[in-house]
Amino acid sequence: QPSETVPVRCIAVEAEDHLFLAGEGWIPTHNTDVFAATTVAYEAVCGGHEQYVRKGQPAMIALISQDLRMARYSLHFVKAAIESSRVGAKLIKNVTADTIELHNGVMVSCVPPTLKAIRGYAVPVAVLDEVGVWYQESDSANPDYEIYRALKPAQLQFPKKKIIGISSPWNKSGLLYRFFSAGTEGAKLPSGQDEYRGILVLHSSTAG
């Protein structure tokens, strides 16, 4: 159901990984992981992307985190989200350190932002977690816009493809700010919206 846009505010702590404990169960979180995990779990179980891949080719739902440690940590949230559904729990076929394989032919992969992690796969949905703090410089090994460029051809066969960027905004540069400037699916642009089809950007209101 559509709902009004309302102001929100995220918090950040000074720890390098931005983790803090929240709730009565003292659950480690850094705001974005719950939304990211829920989105990935839904797309893997209910997205219907498996019907657009060739026989033997898995559809990979990618949760791309800021580094390998956070990627593997995020897998626990995704697994919990899938298991919270009776349908999803029955679909789990195999779980490794960074992958959840489902019986419907979909694979969830939690990976760091590197070209090697995503090239060669069919990726209907990619969630870019904390994309605002990824490397942005062109001389970096895997700058954020190169990851984005690599994802585009990996999505060509899917009619319901999505790239979802989630992050606190740290500066007015990089892929996150480019998404923000364009708006959801390029809505802020007078023309040239095709490049942003299927793009959703979520950010907090902490930017100055």
Side-chain angles (χ1 to χ4, degrees):
Q1 299 252 346
S3 60
E4 292 184 15
T5 299
V6 297
V8 296
R9 181 171 294 277
C10 293
I11 67 171
V13 297
E14 291 185 354
E16 183 178 350
D17 56 11
H18 307 297
L19 286 174
F20 59 93
L21 301 178
E24 295 180 0
W26 297 102
I27 299 172
T29 182
H30 66 337
N31 290 316
T32 62
D33 47 21
V34 175
F35 180 85
T38 303
T39 301
V40 168
Y42 174 82
E43 293 292 343
V45 174
C46 305
H49 306 291
E50 62 274 11
Q51 62 185 302
Y52 302 106
V53 295
R54 300 184 300 273
K55 185 176 181 180
Q57 178 191 38
M60 185 176 87
I61 310 297
L63 174 53
I64 308 176
S65 298
Q66 55 191 313
D67 54 42
L68 179 60
R69 187 171 70 88
M70 284 306 304
R72 290 183 171 177
Y73 181 82
S74 299
L75 190 77
H76 298 290
F77 286 95
V78 178
K79 183 172 180 287
I82 294 175
E83 289 178 336
S84 68
S85 161
R86 283 181 291 180
V87 175
K90 293 178 181 179
L91 283 177
I92 295 178
K93 180 179 180 181
N94 186 45
V95 180
T96 66
D98 52 15
T99 301
I100 301 172
E101 186 180 357
L102 303 182
H103 285 289
N104 64 357
V106 174
M107 175 178 69
V108 172
S109 190
C110 298
V111 297
T114 65
L115 296 175
K116 183 179 178 181
I118 56 176
R119 274 187 175 158
Y121 292 98
V123 186
V125 177
V127 176
L128 317 184
D129 192 16
E130 291 295 354
V131 65
V133 296
W134 291 9
Y135 288 116
Q136 299 171 2
E137 296 80 10
S138 59
D139 58 352
S140 300
N142 298 280
D144 54 4
Y145 62 84
E146 290 294 347
I147 303 297
Y148 172 68
R149 287 177 182 173
L151 283 169
K152 298 298 282 185
Q155 295 192 315
L156 288 176
Q157 69 197 81
F158 299 101
K160 299 177 182 178
K161 54 185 177 290
K162 301 180 184 74
I163 295 177
I164 303 171
I166 311 172
S167 185
S168 299
W170 297 98
N171 54 40
K172 293 183 177 181
S173 64
L175 192 62
L176 179 71
Y177 188 67
R178 178 181 172 187
F179 282 174
F180 168 75
S181 300
T184 297
E185 294 198 332
K188 295 181 181 179
L189 301 178
S191 61
Q193 296 183 4
D194 288 345
E195 180 185 354
Y196 296 92
R197 196 74 61 197
I199 301 294
L200 171 66
V201 57
L202 300 171
H203 58 89
S204 74
S205 59
T206 54

